[in-house]
Amino acid sequence: PITFGDPPRAPDIGSKTFLESEVWYATTTGLFTWELPFDVDEVAFEVSTSSESVPTVKYDPPLAEILLTENELSDGVQYLHVQFKNQVDWGAIAHRKVMIDTEPPLPFTINVRAGNSTSSFPLLTFVADDVSSGIDRYELTLASREPVTITPDEAKLGFLITALEDGTYTVRVKAFDRAGNVTEST
C-alpha cells in the first residue's frame, strides 16, 4: 500500500512542575505532557543524560503524558526524548532538558579577618560549593540587622563589617543554590 503525508512533527513537551528548561528545580518528580495528533499510533520515550539520544521505549497505544519520579530522574541535567510515529514513519525527536538539584550546598566556613588597627573593622570571607546547580546567592545576617544579599563574586572579595560598637556579634550566612536549596553557617 502507498502511504501519503509526512511523518509527525516533534512533540511539544510541557510540565507544570518543570515549567522552564533553563531553570533548576529541587524535585525529582513531575508529570510531562504533550498533545497527541490524531494520526499518531505509537510513541517512543526515553530519559538520558545526552541531549541527542534516540528514544527506544515504545508505547502502542501511544501515551500523551508520563509521570517521572526519582526512579527515572536524578540530580544533574537530563533530557526527555519523545518521538511520534504515524502510518508514514517515525517523526522528529523532541529533546526536553530538565535540570534537577535536590542537595543543599556543601557545609562552609565563614573566615573572619580582623582589622589591622583598633579602629578598623573585620572582613568576612566565605565560599560555599554546590555540586549540581552552583551557588546563586548568599544572605548575610549580622546580629539582629536585616539580611544583606551578596553575590558569589562579592563573597570572594569579602564583606566588610562596619558601624558596630565594640563587642561580640553573631554572623549568619545562608548559601542558596540555583534550585533554592539552603545551607547555613554561623
Side-chain angles (χ1 to χ4, degrees):
I2 300 166
T3 54
F4 295 99
D6 297 309
R9 293 199 336 218
D12 186 15
I13 306 167
S15 175
K16 285 188 167 76
T17 307
F18 300 96
L19 281 171
E20 304 283 326
S21 60
E22 291 300 323
V23 171
W24 286 92
Y25 294 92
T27 182
T28 53
T29 301
L31 183 69
F32 293 87
T33 60
W34 47 85
E35 290 281 319
L36 208 53
F38 72 95
D39 65 334
V40 167
D41 48 31
E42 206 170 341
V43 170
F45 179 84
E46 190 117 358
V47 176
S48 76
T49 54
S50 163
S51 61
E52 300 297 315
S53 286
V54 175
T56 56
V57 181
K58 297 183 170 65
Y59 295 92
D60 180 4
L63 36 112
E65 63 179 38
I66 193 161
L67 177 66
L68 298 180
T69 66
E70 69 276 354
N71 297 331
E72 298 86 17
L73 296 174
S74 57
D75 277 34
V77 177
Q78 288 130 111
Y79 296 86
L80 277 55
H81 311 280
V82 182
Q83 186 180 26
F84 291 160
K85 179 178 184 274
N86 62 14
Q87 81 275 3
V88 177
D89 201 358
W90 285 100
I93 303 169
H95 307 282
R96 171 66 152 73
K97 186 187 212 180
V98 178
M99 303 193 310
I100 297 174
D101 181 359
T102 59
E103 296 294 319
L106 298 169
F108 63 101
T109 48
I110 303 168
N111 301 306
V112 181
R113 195 164 69 221
N116 17 3
S117 73
T118 50
S119 61
S120 62
F121 292 99
L123 181 75
L124 304 178
T125 55
F126 42 89
V127 175
D129 200 16
D130 185 74
V131 179
S132 293
S133 65
I135 300 297
D136 178 58
R137 70 187 187 285
Y138 299 95
E139 278 182 13
L140 182 142
T141 307
L142 179 61
S144 58
R145 293 182 179 177
E146 284 294 304
V148 179
T149 300
I150 297 170
T151 68
D153 287 343
E154 290 168 337
K156 284 181 190 133
L157 297 172
F159 183 80
L160 191 65
I161 295 180
T162 57
L164 284 180
E165 316 234 333
D166 282 351
T168 304
Y169 296 91
T170 300
V171 175
R172 274 197 177 77
V173 176
K174 289 181 178 176
F176 292 83
D177 68 19
R178 291 192 179 102
N181 303 303
V182 184
T183 297
E184 186 175 299
S185 188
T186 308

